[in-house]
């Protein structure tokens, strides 16, 4: 068990080093002649007006919240899948109710217009 | 545990090294090879993409550098290596540099649970499927980091689109991955591949693949994987006409190449996961008896799925943002939730296994009918709309050349 994650740890070091080395190599091998025009923000030749880091629509956060609900649900569901073969009738009914509530929740969000994308 | 590492670590500890160091050396060697599989694979994938797309468009594709143009990608990589590394002056530097590294990082790590042959899997984690789901989120984060840190309005817009799209399609994808896990009762990729072997009179013809048992879940996984891999018809992230290039607009040279690499590898690995979960992994005739044959089957299937994604890329029109979002939330998520509910009930029914599987198949076919019907209606409308756009609208008339 610990060995498996040990391998993942070592692999993650290599997975991090590989792109890092490639990028460093690229910046060493390529020319570097920065000038103010070149390092300006690219916008089809027009100068950028105003700040880029603005506030964004609440829609994104709504989608993010709904995503969070379902992602947490998935974390609950996967362990259930592993034990599903040995589960008693009560546990199965509880699981089914859990999924049904989520499905109803999705329909409520739909009804309230949280899923509309403008 | 892992058969591949046992031999070498034994050899090293016989040479007199302490066991811990022997294991670390073996793992480091394995990890180094595994990490380098990524870039090599990407070279082949980019070549395949170019060849397939050019065949679709009635061109030949790269054919100058090396045999069949195979070395074209290598030449491109060398060119990108020698390009100037332009850094936008107003960018947020830490996030700006970390984003391309993280993109590749998440993709290469998912190699660790690929069950490529019978008994050959880098690490057969007991949470294999969840591990893959978790790595998917790193890609989303790197795209958002790139979009935000570039300090470019197009990049920021694309970054937010990435979040919206990838988050929305992650739910149906993960729930579709849940269907085989529920049936097998294990999250190990090796166990899921093994469970799909069905021998009929001693011959493993591949009828036990889960795609035959739950084609609905497979279809939903495939569609979501197209969206997660940022492929057409869901390639809104780099809609050239709207956002110029997407979230990597301010990246040049090797940093851009890293995003490119990550994208190609990601869509290939999503296909490979599809192969492991639904297409039987390394299963095939005589896969267990002849060594190496299982690996060959896996490669053929994985590259086959990849070619199909490129085929889709070459034929389908791009969808609109709102259509894409509503397709995920209003069609795929309710359908896959209902399908899982159906599967849960069916698997607990007090009837024979054959009847259970038959009922499961019926539910899946219903799901397929709804999804295909929706997609068909959408693409039909799109066809009509495109045709209308090309019809002459001039008041003078159809401006036909004055004939006779």
């Amino acid at each position: 068990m610990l060995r498996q994650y040990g391998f993942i740890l070592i692999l993650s070091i290599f997975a991090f080093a590989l792109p890092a080395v490639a990028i460093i190599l690229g910046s060493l091998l390529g020319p570097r002649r920065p000038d103010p025009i070149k390092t300006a923000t690219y916008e089809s030749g027009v100068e950028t007006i105003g700040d880029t880091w603005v506030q964004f629509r609440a829609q994104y956060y709504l989608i993010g919240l709904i995503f969070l609900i379902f992602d947490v649900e998935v974390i609950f569901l996967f362990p259930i899948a592993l034990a599903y073969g040995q589960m008693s009738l009560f546990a199965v009914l509880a699981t089914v109710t859990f999924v049904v509530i989520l499905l109803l929740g999705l329909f409520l969000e739909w009804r309230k217009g949280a899923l509309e994308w403008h | 545990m892992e058969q591949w590492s046992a031999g070498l670590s034994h050899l090293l500890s016989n040479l007199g090294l302490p066991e811990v160091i022997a294991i670390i050396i073996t793992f480091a060697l394995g990890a180094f090879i595994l990490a380098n599989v990524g870039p090599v694979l990407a070279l082949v994938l980019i070549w395949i993409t170019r060849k397939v797309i050019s065949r679709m468009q009635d061109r030949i594709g790269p054919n100058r550098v090396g045999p069949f143009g195979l070395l074209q990608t290598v030449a491109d990589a060398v060119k990108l290596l020698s390009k100037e590394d332009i850094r936008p002056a107003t960018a947020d530097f830490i996030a700006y540099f970390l984003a391309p590294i993280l993109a590749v990082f998440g993709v290469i790590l998912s190699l660790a649970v690929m069950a490529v042959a019978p008994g050959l899997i880098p690490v057969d984690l007991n949470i294999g499927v969840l591990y893959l789901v978790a790595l998917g989120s790193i890609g989303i984060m790197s795209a958002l980091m790139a979009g935000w840190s570039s300090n470019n309005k197009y990049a920021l817009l694309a970054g937010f689109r990435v979040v919206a799209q990838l988050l929305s399609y992650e739910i149906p994808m993960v729930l579709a991955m849940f269907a085989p896990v529920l049936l097998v009762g294990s999250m190990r990729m090796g166990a899921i591949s093994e469970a799909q072997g069905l021998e009929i009179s001693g011959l493993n013809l591949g009828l036990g693949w889960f795609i035959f048992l739950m084609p609905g879940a497979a279809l939903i996984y495939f569609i979501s994987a197209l969206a997660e891999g940022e492929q057409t018809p869901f390639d809104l992230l780099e809609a050239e006409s709207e956002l110029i290039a997407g979230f990597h607009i301010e990246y040049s040279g090797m940093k851009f190449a890293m995003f490119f690499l990550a994208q190609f590898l990601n869509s290939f690995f999503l296909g490979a996961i599809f192969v492991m979960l639904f297409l039987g992994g390394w299963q095939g005739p005589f896969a267990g008896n002849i060594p190496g044959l299982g690996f060959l089957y896996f490669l053929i299937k994985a590259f086959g799925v990849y070619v199909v994604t490129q085929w889709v890329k070459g034929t389908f029109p791009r969808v609109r943002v709102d259509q894409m979002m509503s397709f995920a939330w209003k069609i795929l998520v309710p359908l896959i939730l209902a399908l899982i509910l159906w599967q849960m009930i069916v698997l607990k029914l007090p009837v024979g296994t054959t009847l259970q599987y038959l009922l499961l198949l019926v539910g899946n076919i219903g799901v397929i009918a709804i999804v295909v019907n929706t997609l068909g209606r959408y693409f039909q409308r799109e066809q009509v709309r495109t045709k209308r756009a090309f019809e002459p609208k001039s008041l003078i008339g159809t401006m036909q050349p004055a004939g006779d």
Side-chain angles (χ1 to χ4, degrees), chain B residues 20-32:
Chain B
V20 180
I21 294 178
I23 288 171
I24 288 176
I25 290 175
T26 317
F27 278 6
L29 206 65
F32 182 73

PDB file of all heavy atoms in Angstrom, chain B residues 20-32:
ATOM      1  N   VAL B  20      15.450  -0.934   1.047  1.00  0.00           N
ATOM      2  CA  VAL B  20      14.756   0.326   0.775  1.00  0.00           C
ATOM      3  C   VAL B  20      15.355   1.017  -0.441  1.00  0.00           C
ATOM      4  O   VAL B  20      14.651   1.479  -1.345  1.00  0.00           O
ATOM      5  CB  VAL B  20      14.838   1.236   2.019  1.00  0.00           C
ATOM      6  CG1 VAL B  20      14.119   2.535   1.754  1.00  0.00           C
ATOM      7  CG2 VAL B  20      14.265   0.534   3.227  1.00  0.00           C
ATOM      8  N   ILE B  21      16.712   1.050  -0.469  1.00  0.00           N
ATOM      9  CA  ILE B  21      17.384   1.746  -1.574  1.00  0.00           C
ATOM     10  C   ILE B  21      17.133   1.000  -2.886  1.00  0.00           C
ATOM     11  O   ILE B  21      16.905   1.626  -3.931  1.00  0.00           O
ATOM     12  CB  ILE B  21      18.888   1.878  -1.263  1.00  0.00           C
ATOM     13  CG1 ILE B  21      19.045   2.811  -0.062  1.00  0.00           C
ATOM     14  CG2 ILE B  21      19.647   2.424  -2.456  1.00  0.00           C
ATOM     15  CD1 ILE B  21      20.448   3.003   0.387  1.00  0.00           C
ATOM     16  N   ALA B  22      17.140  -0.346  -2.796  1.00  0.00           N
ATOM     17  CA  ALA B  22      16.881  -1.127  -4.004  1.00  0.00           C
ATOM     18  C   ALA B  22      15.511  -0.796  -4.575  1.00  0.00           C
ATOM     19  O   ALA B  22      15.351  -0.587  -5.782  1.00  0.00           O
ATOM     20  CB  ALA B  22      16.973  -2.616  -3.683  1.00  0.00           C
ATOM     21  N   ILE B  23      14.524  -0.696  -3.693  1.00  0.00           N
ATOM     22  CA  ILE B  23      13.170  -0.390  -4.156  1.00  0.00           C
ATOM     23  C   ILE B  23      13.099   1.010  -4.737  1.00  0.00           C
ATOM     24  O   ILE B  23      12.500   1.241  -5.790  1.00  0.00           O
ATOM     25  CB  ILE B  23      12.170  -0.562  -2.988  1.00  0.00           C
ATOM     26  CG1 ILE B  23      12.000  -2.044  -2.683  1.00  0.00           C
ATOM     27  CG2 ILE B  23      10.838   0.053  -3.329  1.00  0.00           C
ATOM     28  CD1 ILE B  23      11.219  -2.317  -1.453  1.00  0.00           C
ATOM     29  N   ILE B  24      13.773   1.953  -4.062  1.00  0.00           N
ATOM     30  CA  ILE B  24      13.722   3.332  -4.555  1.00  0.00           C
ATOM     31  C   ILE B  24      14.353   3.428  -5.932  1.00  0.00           C
ATOM     32  O   ILE B  24      13.822   4.079  -6.839  1.00  0.00           O
ATOM     33  CB  ILE B  24      14.415   4.288  -3.550  1.00  0.00           C
ATOM     34  CG1 ILE B  24      13.530   4.441  -2.306  1.00  0.00           C
ATOM     35  CG2 ILE B  24      14.662   5.653  -4.175  1.00  0.00           C
ATOM     36  CD1 ILE B  24      14.131   5.276  -1.224  1.00  0.00           C
ATOM     37  N   ILE B  25      15.491   2.733  -6.127  1.00  0.00           N
ATOM     38  CA  ILE B  25      16.156   2.776  -7.441  1.00  0.00           C
ATOM     39  C   ILE B  25      15.248   2.180  -8.505  1.00  0.00           C
ATOM     40  O   ILE B  25      15.064   2.747  -9.590  1.00  0.00           O
ATOM     41  CB  ILE B  25      17.504   2.028  -7.383  1.00  0.00           C
ATOM     42  CG1 ILE B  25      18.497   2.826  -6.542  1.00  0.00           C
ATOM     43  CG2 ILE B  25      18.059   1.818  -8.786  1.00  0.00           C
ATOM     44  CD1 ILE B  25      19.802   2.121  -6.331  1.00  0.00           C
ATOM     45  N   THR B  26      14.628   1.029  -8.169  1.00  0.00           N
ATOM     46  CA  THR B  26      13.746   0.383  -9.142  1.00  0.00           C
ATOM     47  C   THR B  26      12.593   1.297  -9.509  1.00  0.00           C
ATOM     48  O   THR B  26      12.265   1.471 -10.690  1.00  0.00           O
ATOM     49  CB  THR B  26      13.175  -0.914  -8.546  1.00  0.00           C
ATOM     50  OG1 THR B  26      14.216  -1.598  -7.888  1.00  0.00           O
ATOM     51  CG2 THR B  26      12.570  -1.767  -9.607  1.00  0.00           C
ATOM     52  N   PHE B  27      11.963   1.884  -8.479  1.00  0.00           N
ATOM     53  CA  PHE B  27      10.816   2.754  -8.730  1.00  0.00           C
ATOM     54  C   PHE B  27      11.224   3.974  -9.535  1.00  0.00           C
ATOM     55  O   PHE B  27      10.496   4.418 -10.430  1.00  0.00           O
ATOM     56  CB  PHE B  27      10.193   3.191  -7.394  1.00  0.00           C
ATOM     57  CG  PHE B  27       9.263   2.167  -6.822  1.00  0.00           C
ATOM     58  CD1 PHE B  27       9.129   0.923  -7.415  1.00  0.00           C
ATOM     59  CD2 PHE B  27       8.500   2.454  -5.711  1.00  0.00           C
ATOM     60  CE1 PHE B  27       8.268  -0.017  -6.898  1.00  0.00           C
ATOM     61  CE2 PHE B  27       7.634   1.517  -5.180  1.00  0.00           C
ATOM     62  CZ  PHE B  27       7.523   0.279  -5.771  1.00  0.00           C
ATOM     63  N   ALA B  28      12.412   4.522  -9.211  1.00  0.00           N
ATOM     64  CA  ALA B  28      12.858   5.714  -9.943  1.00  0.00           C
ATOM     65  C   ALA B  28      13.063   5.381 -11.407  1.00  0.00           C
ATOM     66  O   ALA B  28      12.686   6.159 -12.298  1.00  0.00           O
ATOM     67  CB  ALA B  28      14.149   6.238  -9.323  1.00  0.00           C
ATOM     68  N   LEU B  29      13.636   4.193 -11.657  1.00  0.00           N
ATOM     69  CA  LEU B  29      13.853   3.782 -13.048  1.00  0.00           C
ATOM     70  C   LEU B  29      12.518   3.638 -13.767  1.00  0.00           C
ATOM     71  O   LEU B  29      12.321   4.157 -14.875  1.00  0.00           O
ATOM     72  CB  LEU B  29      14.612   2.452 -13.053  1.00  0.00           C
ATOM     73  CG  LEU B  29      15.441   2.166 -14.296  1.00  0.00           C
ATOM     74  CD1 LEU B  29      16.556   3.167 -14.405  1.00  0.00           C
ATOM     75  CD2 LEU B  29      15.983   0.742 -14.236  1.00  0.00           C
ATOM     76  N   GLY B  30      11.573   2.929 -13.095  1.00  0.00           N
ATOM     77  CA  GLY B  30      10.258   2.740 -13.700  1.00  0.00           C
ATOM     78  C   GLY B  30       9.555   4.055 -13.942  1.00  0.00           C
ATOM     79  O   GLY B  30       8.973   4.279 -15.006  1.00  0.00           O
ATOM     80  N   ALA B  31       9.626   4.958 -12.954  1.00  0.00           N
ATOM     81  CA  ALA B  31       8.951   6.247 -13.079  1.00  0.00           C
ATOM     82  C   ALA B  31       9.564   7.075 -14.192  1.00  0.00           C
ATOM     83  O   ALA B  31       8.859   7.751 -14.944  1.00  0.00           O
ATOM     84  CB  ALA B  31       9.039   6.999 -11.756  1.00  0.00           C
ATOM     85  N   PHE B  32      10.908   6.987 -14.330  1.00  0.00           N
ATOM     86  CA  PHE B  32      11.582   7.760 -15.388  1.00  0.00           C
ATOM     87  C   PHE B  32      11.110   7.298 -16.758  1.00  0.00           C
ATOM     88  O   PHE B  32      10.764   8.105 -17.627  1.00  0.00           O
ATOM     89  CB  PHE B  32      13.099   7.593 -15.256  1.00  0.00           C
ATOM     90  CG  PHE B  32      13.873   8.378 -16.262  1.00  0.00           C
ATOM     91  CD1 PHE B  32      13.977   9.754 -16.148  1.00  0.00           C
ATOM     92  CD2 PHE B  32      14.471   7.742 -17.336  1.00  0.00           C
ATOM     93  CE1 PHE B  32      14.673  10.485 -17.084  1.00  0.00           C
ATOM     94  CE2 PHE B  32      15.180   8.468 -18.277  1.00  0.00           C
ATOM     95  CZ  PHE B  32      15.274   9.839 -18.142  1.00  0.00           C
TER      96      PHE B  32
END
